[in-house]
Amino acid sequence: MRYLRRPAVWRLGAIVLAAGSGSRFSSRPGEKLLAPLEGDTILGHVLRALRDFQPAVTVVVLGHGADRIVESIDWEDESIVRNQRPDRGVATSLQLGIDAISSLDSGLDGAFVVLGDQPRLRASTLLALATAADRSEAGAQPIVVPRYSDDPGPRNPVLLLRPGWELAREMEGDHGLAPLIALRPDLVLDVAVPGEMPDIDRPEDLERIRRSPEQAEER
């Protein structure tokens, strides 16, 4: 399914954070993102959801196991950026992604920040975040996050509108956008969405997802 009717106000890109070692899943770099799931890989499911939404530009930030991932994924028009020092944390990958999409499309109003190990990403969730941003006051709440009905904990993906990019550039460490969201709730717009957003850290997480196959209409 391709989401052709999207809010017209915002021109949005996407950054996929996929540079981690995945050491809790396997000692082999890249093994987690390439693990098979329902006829695709974990990262492949994430990319498919983004392709359904059709962002203006998609940047995938790779690090550990980058060569293997590049060779194994059926890429379309995604741009690949390599984090040469992924051990410095997620913040470095996010900043590389922001710099990359800025150079690829200077007219972007924002970007989705997506994790490469969340194969239940849905285009409908991206659409809900974009629609909520479209209806809100421009720039007043530049961090747009989902609130899942079945699990209110996860806050991914994040739609980071351009006024929030400088805040992301100041981040350090390996905690992604969570500390910024916690520190500045005044800048955060919550959007209610159905379902949940499990991520895969260990092999048992993948087995749990395999036992609960996604319904096609949920995408």
Side-chain angles (χ1 to χ4, degrees), residues 22-118:
S23 58
R24 287 180 287 177
F25 187 92
S26 171
S27 60
R28 187 179 183 189
E31 185 78 8
K32 178 174 73 169
L33 297 182
L34 298 177
L37 175 65
E38 299 164 1
D40 207 337
T41 62
I42 290 174
L43 180 56
H45 281 282
V46 173
L47 296 177
R48 182 154 55 92
L50 285 170
R51 292 164 186 166
D52 286 346
F53 181 80
Q54 296 181 316
V57 58
T58 297
V59 167
V60 182
V61 184
L62 300 178
H64 292 284
D67 289 341
R68 185 178 175 214
I69 294 170
V70 167
E71 294 171 358
S72 302
I73 294 292
D74 292 326
W75 303 100
E76 290 191 6
D77 57 355
E78 297 86 9
S79 296
I80 297 170
V81 174
R82 298 196 183 211
N83 185 347
Q84 302 298 334
R85 301 187 65 184
D87 290 329
R88 294 178 61 189
V90 174
T92 62
S93 292
L94 176 57
Q95 290 154 6
L96 284 171
I98 290 175
D99 289 344
I101 61 170
S102 299
S103 63
L104 289 169
D105 191 331
S106 61
L108 291 176
D109 298 296
F112 293 100
V113 180
V114 175
L115 302 185
D117 63 355
Q118 293 187 330

Side-chain angles (χ1 to χ4, degrees), residues 115-138:
L115 302 185
D117 63 355
Q118 293 187 330
R120 290 307 188 227
L121 177 69
R122 300 188 297 266
S124 59
T125 299
L126 302 173
L127 181 63
L129 299 182
T131 300
D134 183 26
R135 294 172 178 171
S136 68
E137 183 179 348

Side-chain angles (χ1 to χ4, degrees), residues 107-219:
L108 291 176
D109 298 296
F112 293 100
V113 180
V114 175
L115 302 185
D117 63 355
Q118 293 187 330
R120 290 307 188 227
L121 177 69
R122 300 188 297 266
S124 59
T125 299
L126 302 173
L127 181 63
L129 299 182
T131 300
D134 183 26
R135 294 172 178 171
S136 68
E137 183 179 348
Q141 293 173 295
I143 306 170
V144 187
V145 298
R147 179 69 73 179
Y148 292 97
S149 60
D150 296 342
D151 185 357
R155 311 300 295 275
N156 297 303
V158 177
L159 173 53
L160 192 62
L161 299 178
R162 197 156 193 141
W165 289 7
E166 288 306 315
L167 295 174
R169 287 191 171 103
E170 297 172 0
M171 294 170 46
E172 297 179 352
D174 199 33
H175 302 288
L177 288 164
L180 177 59
I181 292 171
L183 183 65
R184 295 298 307 270
D186 56 306
L187 300 180
V188 178
L189 174 62
D190 279 294
V191 182
V193 296
E196 60 181 343
M197 181 56 72
D199 59 6
I200 296 175
D201 291 323
R202 299 174 174 84
E204 53 265 35
D205 298 327
L206 179 56
E207 290 305 314
R208 190 177 303 112
I209 288 180
R210 285 171 173 162
R211 291 196 298 269
S212 302
E214 183 184 38
Q215 299 299 312
E217 61 268 22
E218 291 182 352
R219 293 201 73 87

